[in-house]
Amino acid sequence: MHPWISERTEAFDSSGIRRVFDLAANLKDPINLSIGQPDFDVPDSIKSAAIGAIESGKNAYSPTQGVASLREALAKQVVQAYPNHQDRELFVCSGTSGGLVLAMLSMINPGDEVVFMDPYFVMYPSLVRMCGGVPVTVDCYPDFSIDPDRIAAAVTDKTKMILLNSPANPTGVTADREALEAVAKFAKQKEIALVSDEIYSSFFYDGEFVSPAEFNSDTIVIDGFSKSHAMTGWRVGYVHGPSEIISVMLKLQQYSFVCAPQPAQWGALEATKVDLSSHVNDYRQKRDFICAALSDHYEISKPNGAFYVYPKAPGDSGEKFVERAIAENLLIVPGNIFSSRDSHFRISFAASDETLQRGVEVLKRLARS
Ligand code: PMP
């Protein structure tokens, strides 16, 4: 290894996800069901607000904690959701990823354990290791529900944080209210930090989104505009939680990201006024279509949120199955990128109906062969 490279970077690699990118790059016009972002474009009013901000000279640094009017609009929503949380502060960060980085840097010392579900969002284990922490995964196969007893059993005297993600990437599964309540209260009682990654909270298809913050006023919530408003490239997210933790995260943001891009923050302010219900209805229909089309052919836990389905691969390897799919020009993601198991694969249904139809045909054929 090059002598300039820090030891910290050796604790994790990105070869799995790179392999998928390489496979994708070799395909010409694939049936692409691998993408983790909506297939609709950023709503026009949001684009206009950001363009207006640029043209009117709002191009400098914003305050580290974010443009005041955006913070106020978000804080108002948070106060409405948690009227009894006396000590909840909010700031704007560079995407949910930025918020996750700051949360880990603020709270994780070398040797601290961070508990999260397997399958998990690809970034979680690497972020924990980047800070010298130890990822402790809780297997949630076969139905991907959160089991509070399994979480409790994974906790040791080194556990610093429990990290939840509902609706989840890569499974689309949402945690039930009872499970979230049990985990939230357990974390409070054990004085363990509870971080809730709520980036898919807008994509909730049956019933209403529930946050563990409802049951634990110390929960650190991380959310953002990437998925809800198709703004993945704009890098705007936000974090709210206990003021002491938020002020440390802000100190770190000051000396790292500085602030989220100012014009994008003005776009995000407009985004808080946009009605997403037609997109959510559209995605519910896509979910219903793909589950109905595949459930006779694959073992599937019907997702109630996000825009992913996580079927079990026929045969003994998700990775081998994905190779077969790619040979048929269908791009999907092997589950071993998100898991210590190589048994499943991820389909993103954030695609046009025509692409979904073509993808389903290939998947049915592969299941039969
Ligand atoms: N958390 C989860 C669970 C995600 O799936 C993603 C994006 N794939 C992120 C965080 C990061 O999103 P952002 O663009 O806001 O950094």
Side-chain angles (χ1 to χ4, degrees), residues 95-97 121 124 165 169 197 199-200 226-227 235:
T96 310
S97 307
F121 171 43
Y124 294 164
N165 172 222
N169 180 4
D197 176 346
I199 184 149
Y200 295 104
S226 283
K227 311 284 169 165
R235 313 311 307 141

Side-chain angles (χ1 to χ4, degrees), residues 168-332:
N169 180 4
T171 64
V173 170
T174 59
D176 13 297
R177 167 174 276 277
E178 294 72 32
L180 286 174
E181 179 169 1
V183 176
K185 290 186 170 163
F186 172 78
K188 180 102 172 174
Q189 181 222 333
K190 294 276 180 188
E191 297 179 357
I192 294 169
L194 182 64
V195 174
S196 181
D197 176 346
E198 301 185 356
I199 184 149
Y200 295 104
S201 57
S202 307
F203 296 96
F204 208 90
Y205 304 121
D206 311 303
E208 279 197 5
F209 171 72
V210 186
S211 168
E214 229 181 273
F215 315 104
N216 177 342
S217 57
D218 298 332
T219 307
I220 295 130
V221 173
I222 311 186
D223 204 334
F225 295 89
S226 283
K227 311 284 169 165
S228 51
H229 299 78
M231 289 162 57
T232 51
W234 294 41
R235 313 311 307 141
V236 191
Y238 54 97
V239 183
H240 50 98
S243 57
E244 243 184 295
I245 308 295
I246 296 299
S247 76
V248 173
M249 289 176 76
L250 268 175
K251 176 171 77 172
L252 292 169
Q253 175 150 282
Q254 178 80 65
Y255 293 126
S256 53
F257 299 96
V258 182
C259 61
Q262 191 185 168
Q265 291 190 59
W266 289 102
L269 174 61
E270 188 58 35
T272 62
K273 301 168 200 158
V274 169
D275 177 10
L276 292 170
S277 51
S278 68
H279 289 307
V280 175
N281 288 337
D282 201 24
Y283 275 47
R284 183 184 296 106
Q285 278 173 17
K286 289 179 194 290
R287 187 267 321 246
D288 289 344
F289 166 74
I290 198 136
C291 289
L294 296 182
S295 55
D296 286 345
H297 305 267
Y298 292 88
E299 192 181 310
I300 289 177
S301 285
K302 191 175 181 185
N304 187 24
F307 31 71
Y308 308 113
V309 195
Y310 199 63
K312 188 166 187 309
D316 58 358
S317 158
E319 189 160 340
K320 282 191 197 136
F321 179 75
V322 168
E323 280 168 20
R324 286 175 57 211
I326 285 173
E328 301 272 337
N329 211 33
L330 169 66
L331 198 55
I332 48 180

